[in-house]
Amino acid sequence: MHRLPFWVPVLPLLLGLVAYWLYWQGEAKAFGAVVAARLGVPVETTGFPYRIEARAADIAVQRQTRQLSVAMHASQIVINRQPWRTGHVVIQAEAPRLQIALARLAGMRLDVEAPAMLASVRRPGDTLERLSMHFETAKVWLPFAGGPFDATDFELHLRETPGGAPKGRSPTLPVQAEARIAGTLDRAGVSLGIDVPLFVTARTPIASIDGWRNGGTIEVKGAQLLAKGKPLADIDATLAPLPDGRIAVSGTIRSECPFTVKALLEGAAPAAEYRARRARTMTLTGDSAGGVAVGEPEGATGGPVRSQEPPCPVLRR
């Protein structure tokens, strides 16, 4: 039997590897150029064969429009994707500082400063399918709540969900975007977990803040406050823009520890109370400039009764 030379079966493999290397080089060059243009600094591309990594240092990115201000700083950043998957990138940043402000809306500011950040962006087309950011520890400033808070396991999520135009005369506009803020916040001896889903409604897919202000709202549905990992309060509310730039809030809070929650949200002296046998409802009103006010809980005294439930958690010592 005639034996084939060793290089004959190996040659297709070598040709395939060379072809893939050339493909990777082209993708890496294009990806590096895009990242360098967005960051405004030179980048180094590595990661062959399974991924493309664009690395850069001393990042300072600022974008300013009449409606929106965005700034990001980082000492080091690595942005990577798979060569065959162009619509999904993973971002790792060291010493990031993220600042977002809606210039014409009072109090609508988000700042995050952390030792490190891990983020994922999925946008295969014109629609942002998901943006997720995670910070193990961070200092944060939040709309309505202010800051700074010392946060752990802090997460930000956003995705676009274009819902088209309103149907008929329905008072509820389509949800055009969804967001979620979650984590544990500590300040002045108070530790509180938050899990806040947000649903942004508008007449059309959101292309500008002015477009959203024309009848749009932010719906808070099923938000939770947690003490030591256990539910403390549920919140439903509507945030709506006012002509003078403030964001009005109107909603309800349900809690078995209503006086504790009321004192916490209004910054009053901590309340000592026993858990109610059922959740009590309170109104939530206010705006982004003047803060929020919590109504008196319906049918609750906070004092001991027969067959008493356990005391409510002490949130401030």
Side-chain angles (χ1 to χ4, degrees):
M1 174 182 285
H2 180 68
R3 182 175 297 178
L4 293 174
F6 172 76
W7 58 267
V8 172
V10 175
L11 182 59
L13 178 62
L14 293 177
L15 291 175
L17 184 59
V18 170
Y20 177 72
W21 182 80
L22 293 173
Y23 166 76
W24 185 93
Q25 285 281 65
E27 290 289 319
K29 184 177 180 180
F31 182 61
V34 170
V35 173
R38 296 290 178 88
L39 299 182
V41 296
V43 302
E44 175 190 3
T45 54
T46 60
F48 182 83
Y50 299 115
R51 62 185 182 275
I52 302 172
E53 289 187 352
R55 297 174 174 267
D58 299 325
I59 306 304
V61 178
Q62 291 186 314
R63 300 289 186 269
Q64 180 82 42
T65 69
R66 187 172 61 92
Q67 303 173 350
L68 178 66
S69 173
V70 178
M72 180 178 176
H73 303 263
S75 61
Q76 298 281 341
I77 193 167
V78 179
I79 304 175
N80 75 73
R81 70 169 176 86
Q82 294 172 322
W84 53 86
R85 194 176 183 186
T86 60
H88 181 214
V89 299
V90 176
I91 304 169
Q92 294 174 289
E94 295 181 10
R97 175 76 186 273
L98 178 66
Q99 300 171 293
I100 302 174
L102 302 182
R104 301 175 63 192
L105 297 175
M108 300 303 285
R109 168 195 175 195
L110 171 67
D111 285 11
V112 183
E113 187 173 356
M117 176 193 75
L118 179 63
S120 173
V121 183
R122 190 163 66 239
R123 188 180 182 182
D126 294 332
T127 299
L128 178 64
E129 289 190 358
R130 183 168 296 277
L131 165 63
S132 298
M133 292 182 282
H134 179 262
F135 307 84
E136 288 190 7
T137 60
K139 285 191 177 296
V140 302
W141 290 256
L142 297 172
F144 285 91
F149 296 94
D150 293 318
T152 55
D153 286 327
F154 187 67
E155 299 178 10
L156 297 170
H157 303 273
L158 174 67
R159 66 172 182 165
E160 293 178 311
T161 56
K167 297 181 180 179
R169 297 183 179 181
S170 171
T172 303
L173 297 179
V175 174
Q176 306 288 0
E178 298 177 7
R180 179 172 169 262
I181 303 173
T184 301
L185 307 179
D186 293 271
R187 187 173 69 172
V190 179
S191 181
L192 186 70
I194 61 170
D195 189 349
V196 184
L198 306 169
F199 302 87
V200 184
T201 71
R203 298 185 182 279
T204 59
I206 300 170
S208 68
I209 300 300
D210 286 343
W212 171 74
R213 292 178 66 174
N214 182 24
T217 62
I218 300 175
E219 303 295 329
V220 181
K221 296 182 180 180
Q224 282 194 321
L225 304 181
L226 304 104
K228 298 179 180 179
K230 297 181 179 180
L232 177 65
D234 296 323
I235 302 176
D236 291 323
T238 295
L239 284 64
L242 299 176
D244 61 3
R246 293 175 298 147
I247 301 293
V249 58
S250 176
T252 58
I253 304 173
R254 294 173 301 282
S255 176
E256 295 177 355
C257 299
F259 293 101
T260 299
V261 173
K262 178 177 170 64
L264 174 70
L265 295 181
E266 293 184 336
E273 67 173 318
Y274 291 86
R275 286 186 179 273
R277 292 198 184 103
R278 63 178 177 84
R280 305 294 180 170
T281 300
M282 300 170 284
T283 59
L284 178 67
T285 57
D287 62 67
S288 57
V292 297
V294 180
E296 293 298 323
E298 47 86 17
T301 65
V305 296
R306 291 181 179 178
S307 302
Q308 186 60 56
E309 297 292 330
C312 290
V314 178
L315 298 180
R316 185 184 290 111
R317 297 184 183 277

